[in-house]
Amino acid sequence: MFRLLSKESNIFSIPVYIFFLFLLIISFNILDFKTLGVFSSIITFCGFALGYFLFNAIGLNYNTHLPLFLYTFFVFALYPGSLDIGIAMSLFTNSFVMVLLTSNQDEVRKNSYLIIGAILAVNFLFLPTTWPMFIFVLIHLISTSDHISLNIFRLFFGNALVFGTYFGVMYLIGYHDFDESYIPYVEDSFMQDYYPLYFLLPVALYVLYAVMDHFANFNKKSPSSKFKYTFMLLFFLAQLVTVFLYMGKNYEYLLLLVLPNVIILSRALRFLKKYWMKEFGVWIIILTLLLFKLSTYVNIGELIRYDSNR
């Protein structure tokens, strides 16, 4: 399978994968067709679709089918059928911000911080726990911008426009009390039951290996590859902070990690020395995700205990 997926994709591949993902979602999930459910599903799918185009924009995976296939499989396994509007909007806005930051046109990247600031503010209003994205964008701005002060002003001004408009409208229509849900509190205690998260442990270990391997061979990488990988790692860490601090039992938060995870994993698979390792890695990822998907329908642990007691 790896040999087939390592072939170079073309411009027609992405729409095919998007359509295939759509078929998977409607086949294995019962969608909620209430007004908010439909809106949330549309926003979610737009965010997923933008993610496909980001692989070529970031340019770390050599335009092969592997990241497109893994991305489709990750989304299928982790998507519960319908999402809270906050998660849905976060997936869409994150993808949109990444499209702007990875644009091939210098003018778009340099002059988009006002728009990015507004997008981050909208993201925060829908899901306050996504505040690490602001830190990610700020670090990227400081490390890449020629006019740091001007672009920081644009970023904050974009925030202020959205926040000022939103809170001003809320005040005018009678909401005079501050809503404490806009303060993303961290839970006092962490989870005690990790079912079914431990089914994803092989993927987590593989990501850890991939990052360690990258830094072990850091001096062999080109300057462009080093910059892009660091950019992707920062994005991954921003999403990981949100997941670690606020996920709890809301496993749909894991969808925030899909894009950077797929880039890291597919790149690591490509650079494995032996073909059997690449093939084995692909199948381990697939089986791991299938187990996690199955665990959302049936309690595998209880089935095993029931069979052992018979």
Side-chain angles (χ1 to χ4, degrees), residues 168 236 254 297 308:
F236 172 73
L254 293 173
Y297 293 98
S308 64

Side-chain angles (χ1 to χ4, degrees), residues 3 88 179 271:
R3 185 174 286 112
D179 189 350
F271 287 112

Side-chain angles (χ1 to χ4, degrees), residues 86 90 94 120 123-124 127-134 242 246 256:
S90 182
N94 284 352
L120 290 177
N123 191 11
F124 182 86
L127 191 66
T129 56
T130 56
W131 58 264
M133 268 298 291
F134 182 83
T242 295
Y246 304 109
L256 298 174

Side-chain angles (χ1 to χ4, degrees), residues 5 33 35 91 146 190 204 219:
L5 295 175
F33 287 100
T35 302
L91 287 169
D146 295 330
F190 292 98
N219 293 331

Side-chain angles (χ1 to χ4, degrees), residues 183-248:
I183 303 176
Y185 294 107
V186 180
E187 295 291 336
D188 294 333
S189 60
F190 292 98
M191 290 189 303
Q192 302 298 323
D193 180 16
Y194 291 94
Y195 178 88
L197 285 180
Y198 48 70
F199 289 120
L200 297 176
L201 185 60
V203 172
L205 292 175
Y206 209 97
V207 170
L208 181 61
Y209 161 77
V211 174
M212 292 173 61
D213 181 71
H214 169 76
F215 284 105
N217 298 281
F218 190 76
N219 293 331
K220 301 177 183 178
K221 311 293 182 182
S222 66
S224 175
S225 179
K226 292 176 182 178
F227 171 78
K228 291 177 180 179
Y229 203 95
T230 302
F231 170 77
M232 185 50 52
L233 279 182
L234 286 174
F235 177 63
F236 172 73
L237 288 174
Q239 303 308 305
L240 190 61
V241 169
T242 295
V243 169
F244 181 75
L245 294 179
Y246 304 109
M247 180 176 71

Side-chain angles (χ1 to χ4, degrees), residues 20-263:
F20 182 62
L21 176 62
F22 177 73
L23 290 179
L24 282 176
I25 287 175
I26 64 174
S27 299
F28 287 87
N29 299 287
I30 301 175
L31 297 178
D32 180 7
F33 287 100
K34 297 177 183 178
T35 302
L36 186 60
V38 171
F39 179 71
S40 174
S41 298
I42 292 173
I43 292 295
T44 300
F45 198 77
C46 289
F48 291 153
L50 279 176
Y52 282 103
F53 293 94
L54 282 170
F55 292 111
N56 291 340
I58 294 172
L60 281 174
N61 295 123
Y62 304 97
N63 296 333
T64 63
H65 284 275
L66 182 61
L68 302 178
F69 175 82
L70 289 180
Y71 182 78
T72 304
F73 218 86
F74 265 92
V75 171
F76 161 69
L78 300 178
Y79 183 57
S82 61
L83 289 181
D84 175 80
I85 186 62
I87 299 289
M89 186 59 71
S90 182
L91 287 169
F92 177 72
T93 54
N94 284 352
S95 296
F96 202 78
V97 166
M98 293 293 284
V99 167
L100 293 174
L101 293 179
T102 57
S103 173
N104 292 325
Q105 300 180 15
D106 291 337
E107 290 301 317
V108 173
R109 291 200 309 271
K110 293 177 180 178
N111 299 321
S112 61
Y113 286 108
L114 178 66
I115 300 173
I116 291 173
I119 293 172
L120 290 177
V122 171
N123 191 11
F124 182 86
L125 290 174
F126 276 93
L127 191 66
T129 56
T130 56
W131 58 264
M133 268 298 291
F134 182 83
I135 298 177
F136 159 71
V137 172
L138 194 60
I139 293 174
H140 177 76
L141 186 159
I142 293 172
S143 60
T144 62
S145 179
D146 295 330
H147 306 285
I148 296 176
S149 299
L150 176 61
N151 286 326
I152 288 178
F153 171 77
R154 289 171 175 168
L155 187 68
F156 279 102
F157 187 59
N159 290 158
L161 286 175
V162 172
F163 285 137
T165 302
Y166 175 78
F167 289 115
V169 171
M170 289 295 103
Y171 184 82
L172 290 176
I173 63 177
Y175 291 92
H176 297 163
D177 296 328
F178 180 75
D179 189 350
E180 291 188 358
S181 63
Y182 288 119
I183 303 176
Y185 294 107
V186 180
E187 295 291 336
D188 294 333
S189 60
F190 292 98
M191 290 189 303
Q192 302 298 323
D193 180 16
Y194 291 94
Y195 178 88
L197 285 180
Y198 48 70
F199 289 120
L200 297 176
L201 185 60
V203 172
L205 292 175
Y206 209 97
V207 170
L208 181 61
Y209 161 77
V211 174
M212 292 173 61
D213 181 71
H214 169 76
F215 284 105
N217 298 281
F218 190 76
N219 293 331
K220 301 177 183 178
K221 311 293 182 182
S222 66
S224 175
S225 179
K226 292 176 182 178
F227 171 78
K228 291 177 180 179
Y229 203 95
T230 302
F231 170 77
M232 185 50 52
L233 279 182
L234 286 174
F235 177 63
F236 172 73
L237 288 174
Q239 303 308 305
L240 190 61
V241 169
T242 295
V243 169
F244 181 75
L245 294 179
Y246 304 109
M247 180 176 71
K249 291 292 184 178
N250 301 313
Y251 298 131
E252 58 266 27
Y253 268 81
L254 293 173
L255 287 167
L256 298 174
L257 296 172
V258 169
L259 179 67
N261 263 352
V262 167
I263 292 176

